[in-house]
Amino acid sequence: MTIRTRVEDYLAMRRALGYRLHAEGRMLLGFADRLDAAGQPTITVSAALAWAIEPKNAAPAHWCRRLGVVRAFARHLHTLDPSCEIPPADLLSGPTHRPTPYIYTAEEVAALVHAAGTIAAPMPSATCHAVISLIAASGLRLGETLALDRADVDLDAAMLTVIGKNQHTRLIPLHPTTAQMLGRYAARRDMLCPATDSASFFLTTNGHRPQPSSLQHTFAKLLVLAEIQTPPGRRRPRIHDLRHTFAVNTLIGWYRSGADVAAHMPILSTFLGHSGGPEATYWYLQATPELLALAAQRLEHDRRTS
């Protein structure tokens, strides 16, 4: 039995239990194909490590994730094949802090949206334009956005049904202008691709659900068109940073309006789909100097008036 067959059986079992494993599945199948092509009958620690760190320009956290995906499968395979080696949990160490996100200005977001509209192919242009606009306006994750089915998008009620991490479902209200934008996209999508069996709200030229890797690849090109530079010593801005930008701008708006940020934080946490609670959302308070300064000023004011 090939490693790929083992992986396919493993993924089928996990998905039957409710796990989606989209990115993890692609990773594992790629790893399995590598082993099968090399004629390796099972997993070794050296092969897993070599594959995990293959993207030389990737962040250590990404290497750890790749190795972790293999480790989970190796534990399963070891029960069937005792010769299978399980990579140790401490073989790779990732960063202990989250890297500073890139916060887009309003002008940069507009430039990205405009650049998406210049893509020559009609459907990729329309889809990329709508995806970037929606993430910037709602703070959704890219995977959540592309996972939206047509039934999840209620344009009349201006509401999205989003399935986030760990299969948690949440309702996301849309600003009227965002709902109108999605309505225009849906009309153009149906005109460009009138016959498709896909339930996906967003489509590719072939009528399939777009893959995150494809959108990320296109986004890298849009950064060049929008003339957005990578800050010195930082990683390249990502489409995921639009989500960070939404969160930071929401917090800045609350501070400037005098709102009780502590009381509002659970709302933002729920909106963003932070299943761990507001603790994960508090990280954004140190995301930018401006936000950190506003938080410090509010704390000092509270101390003086208490």
Side-chain angles (χ1 to χ4, degrees), residues 170-213:
R170 66 189 191 277
L171 297 178
I172 299 295
L174 298 173
H175 190 276
T177 57
T178 303
Q180 292 166 10
M181 178 276 296
L182 292 178
R184 291 192 297 270
Y185 168 76
R188 182 158 178 74
R189 174 203 65 202
D190 294 343
M191 180 185 70
L192 294 171
C193 191
T196 178
D197 294 331
S198 176
S200 177
F201 183 80
F202 295 106
L203 293 178
T204 64
T205 300
N206 296 327
H208 300 146
R209 188 183 303 275
Q211 294 299 314
S213 58

mmCIF file of all heavy atoms in Angstrom, residues 170-213:
data_model
loop_
_atom_site.group_PDB
_atom_site.id
_atom_site.type_symbol
_atom_site.label_atom_id
_atom_site.label_comp_id
_atom_site.label_asym_id
_atom_site.label_seq_id
_atom_site.Cartn_x
_atom_site.Cartn_y
_atom_site.Cartn_z
ATOM 1 N N ARG A 170 -20.818 31.281 13.080
ATOM 2 C CA ARG A 170 -21.202 32.594 13.587
ATOM 3 C C ARG A 170 -21.879 33.385 12.472
ATOM 4 O O ARG A 170 -21.646 33.133 11.285
ATOM 5 C CB ARG A 170 -19.994 33.363 14.121
ATOM 6 C CG ARG A 170 -18.942 33.755 13.086
ATOM 7 C CD ARG A 170 -17.705 34.309 13.785
ATOM 8 N NE ARG A 170 -16.752 34.948 12.888
ATOM 9 C CZ ARG A 170 -15.828 34.304 12.186
ATOM 10 N NH1 ARG A 170 -15.731 32.992 12.268
ATOM 11 N NH2 ARG A 170 -14.990 34.985 11.393
ATOM 12 N N LEU A 171 -22.722 34.328 12.872
ATOM 13 C CA LEU A 171 -23.403 35.202 11.919
ATOM 14 C C LEU A 171 -22.660 36.519 11.843
ATOM 15 O O LEU A 171 -22.338 37.122 12.878
ATOM 16 C CB LEU A 171 -24.851 35.426 12.341
ATOM 17 C CG LEU A 171 -25.750 34.191 12.371
ATOM 18 C CD1 LEU A 171 -27.149 34.573 12.862
ATOM 19 C CD2 LEU A 171 -25.829 33.542 10.995
ATOM 20 N N ILE A 172 -22.396 36.985 10.638
ATOM 21 C CA ILE A 172 -21.667 38.234 10.428
ATOM 22 C C ILE A 172 -22.566 39.221 9.688
ATOM 23 O O ILE A 172 -22.899 39.020 8.514
ATOM 24 C CB ILE A 172 -20.381 37.993 9.600
ATOM 25 C CG1 ILE A 172 -19.447 37.029 10.330
ATOM 26 C CG2 ILE A 172 -19.677 39.311 9.314
ATOM 27 C CD1 ILE A 172 -18.899 37.555 11.628
ATOM 28 N N PRO A 173 -23.002 40.290 10.360
ATOM 29 C CA PRO A 173 -23.798 41.305 9.660
ATOM 30 C C PRO A 173 -22.917 42.108 8.718
ATOM 31 O O PRO A 173 -21.741 42.371 9.009
ATOM 32 C CB PRO A 173 -24.339 42.173 10.802
ATOM 33 C CG PRO A 173 -23.330 42.004 11.907
ATOM 34 C CD PRO A 173 -22.807 40.608 11.783
ATOM 35 N N LEU A 174 -23.467 42.498 7.597
ATOM 36 C CA LEU A 174 -22.719 43.250 6.590
ATOM 37 C C LEU A 174 -23.211 44.688 6.517
ATOM 38 O O LEU A 174 -24.409 44.960 6.673
ATOM 39 C CB LEU A 174 -22.884 42.606 5.215
ATOM 40 C CG LEU A 174 -22.370 41.168 5.040
ATOM 41 C CD1 LEU A 174 -22.779 40.647 3.666
ATOM 42 C CD2 LEU A 174 -20.867 41.113 5.229
ATOM 43 N N HIS A 175 -22.278 45.587 6.270
ATOM 44 C CA HIS A 175 -22.679 46.962 5.974
ATOM 45 C C HIS A 175 -23.443 46.950 4.653
ATOM 46 O O HIS A 175 -23.138 46.153 3.754
ATOM 47 C CB HIS A 175 -21.434 47.856 5.875
ATOM 48 C CG HIS A 175 -21.743 49.311 5.811
ATOM 49 N ND1 HIS A 175 -22.072 49.946 4.638
ATOM 50 C CD2 HIS A 175 -21.778 50.256 6.786
ATOM 51 C CE1 HIS A 175 -22.294 51.232 4.886
ATOM 52 N NE2 HIS A 175 -22.132 51.442 6.181
ATOM 53 N N PRO A 176 -24.434 47.804 4.495
ATOM 54 C CA PRO A 176 -25.213 47.813 3.242
ATOM 55 C C PRO A 176 -24.342 47.925 1.990
ATOM 56 O O PRO A 176 -24.641 47.278 0.977
ATOM 57 C CB PRO A 176 -26.126 49.035 3.405
ATOM 58 C CG PRO A 176 -26.312 49.154 4.891
ATOM 59 C CD PRO A 176 -25.004 48.737 5.489
ATOM 60 N N THR A 177 -23.270 48.723 2.061
ATOM 61 C CA THR A 177 -22.415 48.870 0.879
ATOM 62 C C THR A 177 -21.676 47.567 0.563
ATOM 63 O O THR A 177 -21.433 47.253 -0.609
ATOM 64 C CB THR A 177 -21.392 49.993 1.083
ATOM 65 O OG1 THR A 177 -20.606 49.721 2.265
ATOM 66 C CG2 THR A 177 -22.086 51.330 1.254
ATOM 67 N N THR A 178 -21.334 46.805 1.619
ATOM 68 C CA THR A 178 -20.672 45.517 1.393
ATOM 69 C C THR A 178 -21.651 44.522 0.778
ATOM 70 O O THR A 178 -21.293 43.766 -0.133
ATOM 71 C CB THR A 178 -20.125 44.952 2.718
ATOM 72 O OG1 THR A 178 -19.240 45.909 3.308
ATOM 73 C CG2 THR A 178 -19.356 43.666 2.481
ATOM 74 N N ALA A 179 -22.885 44.517 1.263
ATOM 75 C CA ALA A 179 -23.903 43.634 0.690
ATOM 76 C C ALA A 179 -24.165 43.988 -0.775
ATOM 77 O O ALA A 179 -24.331 43.100 -1.626
ATOM 78 C CB ALA A 179 -25.192 43.727 1.501
ATOM 79 N N GLN A 180 -24.172 45.271 -1.072
ATOM 80 C CA GLN A 180 -24.372 45.700 -2.463
ATOM 81 C C GLN A 180 -23.212 45.243 -3.345
ATOM 82 O O GLN A 180 -23.408 44.808 -4.485
ATOM 83 C CB GLN A 180 -24.530 47.212 -2.513
ATOM 84 C CG GLN A 180 -25.814 47.723 -1.873
ATOM 85 C CD GLN A 180 -25.793 49.228 -1.629
ATOM 86 O OE1 GLN A 180 -24.892 49.935 -2.098
ATOM 87 N NE2 GLN A 180 -26.784 49.719 -0.901
ATOM 88 N N MET A 181 -21.987 45.343 -2.807
ATOM 89 C CA MET A 181 -20.807 44.895 -3.553
ATOM 90 C C MET A 181 -20.910 43.411 -3.871
ATOM 91 O O MET A 181 -20.648 42.972 -4.995
ATOM 92 C CB MET A 181 -19.544 45.197 -2.749
ATOM 93 C CG MET A 181 -18.229 44.738 -3.379
ATOM 94 S SD MET A 181 -17.807 42.992 -3.057
ATOM 95 C CE MET A 181 -17.602 43.008 -1.276
ATOM 96 N N LEU A 182 -21.315 42.598 -2.872
ATOM 97 C CA LEU A 182 -21.457 41.163 -3.099
ATOM 98 C C LEU A 182 -22.583 40.870 -4.084
ATOM 99 O O LEU A 182 -22.500 39.913 -4.865
ATOM 100 C CB LEU A 182 -21.712 40.455 -1.772
ATOM 101 C CG LEU A 182 -20.550 40.440 -0.777
ATOM 102 C CD1 LEU A 182 -20.963 39.752 0.516
ATOM 103 C CD2 LEU A 182 -19.320 39.752 -1.377
ATOM 104 N N GLY A 183 -23.623 41.675 -4.045
ATOM 105 C CA GLY A 183 -24.712 41.509 -4.999
ATOM 106 C C GLY A 183 -24.240 41.745 -6.424
ATOM 107 O O GLY A 183 -24.619 41.006 -7.350
ATOM 108 N N ARG A 184 -23.423 42.773 -6.617
ATOM 109 C CA ARG A 184 -22.881 43.052 -7.951
ATOM 110 C C ARG A 184 -21.970 41.911 -8.402
ATOM 111 O O ARG A 184 -21.974 41.511 -9.571
ATOM 112 C CB ARG A 184 -22.122 44.376 -7.946
ATOM 113 C CG ARG A 184 -23.016 45.603 -7.779
ATOM 114 C CD ARG A 184 -22.258 46.882 -8.072
ATOM 115 N NE ARG A 184 -21.157 47.097 -7.127
ATOM 116 C CZ ARG A 184 -21.280 47.767 -5.980
ATOM 117 N NH1 ARG A 184 -22.464 48.247 -5.621
ATOM 118 N NH2 ARG A 184 -20.239 47.942 -5.189
ATOM 119 N N TYR A 185 -21.186 41.381 -7.445
ATOM 120 C CA TYR A 185 -20.307 40.256 -7.795
ATOM 121 C C TYR A 185 -21.142 39.045 -8.212
ATOM 122 O O TYR A 185 -20.827 38.370 -9.212
ATOM 123 C CB TYR A 185 -19.407 39.869 -6.631
ATOM 124 C CG TYR A 185 -18.703 38.545 -6.875
ATOM 125 C CD1 TYR A 185 -17.608 38.459 -7.738
ATOM 126 C CD2 TYR A 185 -19.172 37.365 -6.285
ATOM 127 C CE1 TYR A 185 -17.004 37.246 -8.000
ATOM 128 C CE2 TYR A 185 -18.565 36.148 -6.551
ATOM 129 C CZ TYR A 185 -17.480 36.093 -7.405
ATOM 130 O OH TYR A 185 -16.883 34.883 -7.676
ATOM 131 N N ALA A 186 -22.183 38.741 -7.446
ATOM 132 C CA ALA A 186 -23.015 37.573 -7.744
ATOM 133 C C ALA A 186 -23.635 37.676 -9.135
ATOM 134 O O ALA A 186 -23.700 36.690 -9.878
ATOM 135 C CB ALA A 186 -24.096 37.417 -6.680
ATOM 136 N N ALA A 187 -24.070 38.875 -9.492
ATOM 137 C CA ALA A 187 -24.664 39.072 -10.815
ATOM 138 C C ALA A 187 -23.625 38.851 -11.913
ATOM 139 O O ALA A 187 -23.901 38.191 -12.931
ATOM 140 C CB ALA A 187 -25.256 40.475 -10.913
ATOM 141 N N ARG A 188 -22.410 39.392 -11.714
ATOM 142 C CA ARG A 188 -21.357 39.214 -12.716
ATOM 143 C C ARG A 188 -20.900 37.755 -12.755
ATOM 144 O O ARG A 188 -20.636 37.217 -13.833
ATOM 145 C CB ARG A 188 -20.179 40.144 -12.395
ATOM 146 C CG ARG A 188 -19.050 40.060 -13.420
ATOM 147 C CD ARG A 188 -18.180 41.299 -13.406
ATOM 148 N NE ARG A 188 -17.076 41.227 -14.337
ATOM 149 C CZ ARG A 188 -17.174 41.351 -15.654
ATOM 150 N NH1 ARG A 188 -18.374 41.540 -16.204
ATOM 151 N NH2 ARG A 188 -16.116 41.280 -16.436
ATOM 152 N N ARG A 189 -20.800 37.120 -11.597
ATOM 153 C CA ARG A 189 -20.412 35.704 -11.534
ATOM 154 C C ARG A 189 -21.375 34.836 -12.334
ATOM 155 O O ARG A 189 -20.960 33.960 -13.116
ATOM 156 C CB ARG A 189 -20.407 35.259 -10.071
ATOM 157 C CG ARG A 189 -20.160 33.773 -9.829
ATOM 158 C CD ARG A 189 -20.715 33.368 -8.478
ATOM 159 N NE ARG A 189 -22.170 33.496 -8.429
ATOM 160 C CZ ARG A 189 -22.883 33.624 -7.317
ATOM 161 N NH1 ARG A 189 -22.284 33.654 -6.145
ATOM 162 N NH2 ARG A 189 -24.201 33.726 -7.373
ATOM 163 N N ASP A 190 -22.666 35.066 -12.150
ATOM 164 C CA ASP A 190 -23.663 34.262 -12.837
ATOM 165 C C ASP A 190 -23.684 34.537 -14.340
ATOM 166 O O ASP A 190 -24.053 33.662 -15.133
ATOM 167 C CB ASP A 190 -25.044 34.519 -12.247
ATOM 168 C CG ASP A 190 -25.156 34.032 -10.801
ATOM 169 O OD1 ASP A 190 -24.297 33.226 -10.382
ATOM 170 O OD2 ASP A 190 -26.088 34.472 -10.105
ATOM 171 N N MET A 191 -23.289 35.735 -14.725
ATOM 172 C CA MET A 191 -23.212 36.056 -16.145
ATOM 173 C C MET A 191 -21.998 35.382 -16.786
ATOM 174 O O MET A 191 -22.075 34.842 -17.894
ATOM 175 C CB MET A 191 -23.119 37.574 -16.335
ATOM 176 C CG MET A 191 -23.040 38.008 -17.800
ATOM 177 S SD MET A 191 -22.800 39.791 -17.980
ATOM 178 C CE MET A 191 -21.108 39.952 -17.376
ATOM 179 N N LEU A 192 -20.862 35.394 -16.057
ATOM 180 C CA LEU A 192 -19.630 34.811 -16.599
ATOM 181 C C LEU A 192 -19.626 33.290 -16.513
ATOM 182 O O LEU A 192 -18.983 32.621 -17.322
ATOM 183 C CB LEU A 192 -18.418 35.371 -15.841
ATOM 184 C CG LEU A 192 -18.138 36.862 -16.017
ATOM 185 C CD1 LEU A 192 -17.048 37.310 -15.042
ATOM 186 C CD2 LEU A 192 -17.723 37.154 -17.452
ATOM 187 N N CYS A 193 -20.313 32.743 -15.513
ATOM 188 C CA CYS A 193 -20.313 31.289 -15.310
ATOM 189 C C CYS A 193 -21.737 30.830 -14.989
ATOM 190 O O CYS A 193 -22.051 30.485 -13.851
ATOM 191 C CB CYS A 193 -19.344 30.926 -14.185
ATOM 192 S SG CYS A 193 -18.996 29.164 -14.038
ATOM 193 N N PRO A 194 -22.612 30.826 -15.985
ATOM 194 C CA PRO A 194 -24.027 30.515 -15.723
ATOM 195 C C PRO A 194 -24.302 29.052 -15.412
ATOM 196 O O PRO A 194 -25.321 28.735 -14.802
ATOM 197 C CB PRO A 194 -24.715 30.925 -17.036
ATOM 198 C CG PRO A 194 -23.643 30.782 -18.079
ATOM 199 C CD PRO A 194 -22.361 31.154 -17.401
ATOM 200 N N ALA A 195 -23.408 28.150 -15.819
ATOM 201 C CA ALA A 195 -23.642 26.715 -15.604
ATOM 202 C C ALA A 195 -22.531 26.122 -14.753
ATOM 203 O O ALA A 195 -21.401 25.959 -15.218
ATOM 204 C CB ALA A 195 -23.711 25.994 -16.944
ATOM 205 N N THR A 196 -22.832 25.838 -13.499
ATOM 206 C CA THR A 196 -21.864 25.211 -12.607
ATOM 207 C C THR A 196 -22.604 24.404 -11.541
ATOM 208 O O THR A 196 -23.707 24.783 -11.129
ATOM 209 C CB THR A 196 -20.971 26.263 -11.921
ATOM 210 O OG1 THR A 196 -20.079 25.605 -11.017
ATOM 211 C CG2 THR A 196 -21.796 27.270 -11.147
ATOM 212 N N ASP A 197 -21.988 23.314 -11.132
ATOM 213 C CA ASP A 197 -22.579 22.501 -10.073
ATOM 214 C C ASP A 197 -22.070 22.899 -8.698
ATOM 215 O O ASP A 197 -22.528 22.363 -7.690
ATOM 216 C CB ASP A 197 -22.245 21.011 -10.313
ATOM 217 C CG ASP A 197 -22.893 20.473 -11.575
ATOM 218 O OD1 ASP A 197 -23.968 20.983 -11.943
ATOM 219 O OD2 ASP A 197 -22.311 19.566 -12.199
ATOM 220 N N SER A 198 -21.138 23.850 -8.662
ATOM 221 C CA SER A 198 -20.535 24.238 -7.394
ATOM 222 C C SER A 198 -21.498 25.074 -6.562
ATOM 223 O O SER A 198 -22.191 25.959 -7.078
ATOM 224 C CB SER A 198 -19.246 25.036 -7.635
ATOM 225 O OG SER A 198 -18.708 25.503 -6.420
ATOM 226 N N ALA A 199 -21.525 24.789 -5.259
ATOM 227 C CA ALA A 199 -22.349 25.576 -4.337
ATOM 228 C C ALA A 199 -21.600 26.802 -3.849
ATOM 229 O O ALA A 199 -22.167 27.643 -3.144
ATOM 230 C CB ALA A 199 -22.762 24.730 -3.142
ATOM 231 N N SER A 200 -20.335 26.927 -4.228
ATOM 232 C CA SER A 200 -19.484 28.010 -3.739
ATOM 233 C C SER A 200 -20.004 29.378 -4.183
ATOM 234 O O SER A 200 -20.430 29.560 -5.332
ATOM 235 C CB SER A 200 -18.052 27.811 -4.245
ATOM 236 O OG SER A 200 -17.222 28.889 -3.843
ATOM 237 N N PHE A 201 -19.943 30.352 -3.267
ATOM 238 C CA PHE A 201 -20.347 31.711 -3.627
ATOM 239 C C PHE A 201 -19.314 32.334 -4.552
ATOM 240 O O PHE A 201 -19.657 32.986 -5.536
ATOM 241 C CB PHE A 201 -20.509 32.566 -2.366
ATOM 242 C CG PHE A 201 -20.987 33.967 -2.659
ATOM 243 C CD1 PHE A 201 -22.327 34.232 -2.900
ATOM 244 C CD2 PHE A 201 -20.088 35.030 -2.699
ATOM 245 C CE1 PHE A 201 -22.773 35.523 -3.185
ATOM 246 C CE2 PHE A 201 -20.519 36.323 -2.975
ATOM 247 C CZ PHE A 201 -21.862 36.571 -3.219
ATOM 248 N N PHE A 202 -18.042 32.124 -4.244
ATOM 249 C CA PHE A 202 -16.970 32.628 -5.099
ATOM 250 C C PHE A 202 -16.524 31.528 -6.050
ATOM 251 O O PHE A 202 -16.437 30.358 -5.660
ATOM 252 C CB PHE A 202 -15.786 33.107 -4.249
ATOM 253 C CG PHE A 202 -16.110 34.294 -3.383
ATOM 254 C CD1 PHE A 202 -16.266 34.142 -2.015
ATOM 255 C CD2 PHE A 202 -16.274 35.549 -3.934
ATOM 256 C CE1 PHE A 202 -16.574 35.233 -1.216
ATOM 257 C CE2 PHE A 202 -16.589 36.649 -3.148
ATOM 258 C CZ PHE A 202 -16.737 36.495 -1.781
ATOM 259 N N LEU A 203 -16.225 31.901 -7.291
ATOM 260 C CA LEU A 203 -15.886 30.916 -8.309
ATOM 261 C C LEU A 203 -14.617 31.271 -9.063
ATOM 262 O O LEU A 203 -14.218 32.434 -9.135
ATOM 263 C CB LEU A 203 -17.029 30.779 -9.319
ATOM 264 C CG LEU A 203 -18.349 30.181 -8.844
ATOM 265 C CD1 LEU A 203 -19.345 30.180 -9.987
ATOM 266 C CD2 LEU A 203 -18.155 28.778 -8.291
ATOM 267 N N THR A 204 -14.006 30.228 -9.630
ATOM 268 C CA THR A 204 -12.906 30.410 -10.567
ATOM 269 C C THR A 204 -13.483 30.435 -11.979
ATOM 270 O O THR A 204 -14.694 30.252 -12.179
ATOM 271 C CB THR A 204 -11.899 29.254 -10.470
ATOM 272 O OG1 THR A 204 -12.563 28.034 -10.879
ATOM 273 C CG2 THR A 204 -11.400 29.083 -9.039
ATOM 274 N N THR A 205 -12.620 30.620 -12.958
ATOM 275 C CA THR A 205 -13.065 30.639 -14.351
ATOM 276 C C THR A 205 -13.737 29.333 -14.735
ATOM 277 O O THR A 205 -14.701 29.317 -15.515
ATOM 278 C CB THR A 205 -11.863 30.892 -15.282
ATOM 279 O OG1 THR A 205 -11.267 32.154 -14.941
ATOM 280 C CG2 THR A 205 -12.290 30.919 -16.738
ATOM 281 N N ASN A 206 -13.263 28.226 -14.170
ATOM 282 C CA ASN A 206 -13.808 26.909 -14.484
ATOM 283 C C ASN A 206 -15.025 26.546 -13.642
ATOM 284 O O ASN A 206 -15.510 25.414 -13.716
ATOM 285 C CB ASN A 206 -12.728 25.843 -14.302
ATOM 286 C CG ASN A 206 -11.581 26.022 -15.273
ATOM 287 O OD1 ASN A 206 -11.783 26.462 -16.409
ATOM 288 N ND2 ASN A 206 -10.373 25.701 -14.853
ATOM 289 N N GLY A 207 -15.497 27.480 -12.833
ATOM 290 C CA GLY A 207 -16.684 27.217 -12.042
ATOM 291 C C GLY A 207 -16.436 26.438 -10.774
ATOM 292 O O GLY A 207 -17.355 25.827 -10.220
ATOM 293 N N HIS A 208 -15.188 26.455 -10.285
ATOM 294 C CA HIS A 208 -14.838 25.748 -9.057
ATOM 295 C C HIS A 208 -14.628 26.728 -7.904
ATOM 296 O O HIS A 208 -14.509 27.938 -8.114
ATOM 297 C CB HIS A 208 -13.572 24.915 -9.265
ATOM 298 C CG HIS A 208 -13.709 23.884 -10.343
ATOM 299 N ND1 HIS A 208 -12.666 23.506 -11.160
ATOM 300 C CD2 HIS A 208 -14.792 23.161 -10.748
ATOM 301 C CE1 HIS A 208 -13.076 22.590 -12.005
ATOM 302 N NE2 HIS A 208 -14.363 22.362 -11.790
ATOM 303 N N ARG A 209 -14.529 26.175 -6.698
ATOM 304 C CA ARG A 209 -14.245 26.999 -5.528
ATOM 305 C C ARG A 209 -12.773 27.411 -5.575
ATOM 306 O O ARG A 209 -11.885 26.559 -5.755
ATOM 307 C CB ARG A 209 -14.517 26.226 -4.244
ATOM 308 C CG ARG A 209 -14.439 27.078 -2.973
ATOM 309 C CD ARG A 209 -14.653 26.227 -1.720
ATOM 310 N NE ARG A 209 -15.917 25.521 -1.731
ATOM 311 C CZ ARG A 209 -17.068 26.042 -1.321
ATOM 312 N NH1 ARG A 209 -17.098 27.281 -0.855
ATOM 313 N NH2 ARG A 209 -18.186 25.330 -1.359
ATOM 314 N N PRO A 210 -12.453 28.687 -5.400
ATOM 315 C CA PRO A 210 -11.043 29.124 -5.418
ATOM 316 C C PRO A 210 -10.260 28.525 -4.257
ATOM 317 O O PRO A 210 -10.806 28.287 -3.179
ATOM 318 C CB PRO A 210 -11.142 30.647 -5.294
ATOM 319 C CG PRO A 210 -12.550 30.992 -5.649
ATOM 320 C CD PRO A 210 -13.381 29.814 -5.233
ATOM 321 N N GLN A 211 -8.971 28.287 -4.489
ATOM 322 C CA GLN A 211 -8.095 27.768 -3.449
ATOM 323 C C GLN A 211 -7.316 28.921 -2.806
ATOM 324 O O GLN A 211 -6.909 29.858 -3.503
ATOM 325 C CB GLN A 211 -7.113 26.749 -4.029
ATOM 326 C CG GLN A 211 -7.779 25.490 -4.550
ATOM 327 C CD GLN A 211 -8.530 24.754 -3.454
ATOM 328 O OE1 GLN A 211 -8.016 24.555 -2.355
ATOM 329 N NE2 GLN A 211 -9.760 24.338 -3.762
ATOM 330 N N PRO A 212 -7.101 28.873 -1.493
ATOM 331 C CA PRO A 212 -6.350 29.950 -0.827
ATOM 332 C C PRO A 212 -4.987 30.209 -1.455
ATOM 333 O O PRO A 212 -4.580 31.369 -1.599
ATOM 334 C CB PRO A 212 -6.212 29.431 0.611
ATOM 335 C CG PRO A 212 -7.394 28.535 0.801
ATOM 336 C CD PRO A 212 -7.592 27.867 -0.527
ATOM 337 N N SER A 213 -4.271 29.149 -1.839
ATOM 338 C CA SER A 213 -2.931 29.337 -2.405
ATOM 339 C C SER A 213 -2.980 30.152 -3.684
ATOM 340 O O SER A 213 -2.090 30.969 -3.945
ATOM 341 C CB SER A 213 -2.289 27.973 -2.676
ATOM 342 O OG SER A 213 -3.088 27.197 -3.556
#
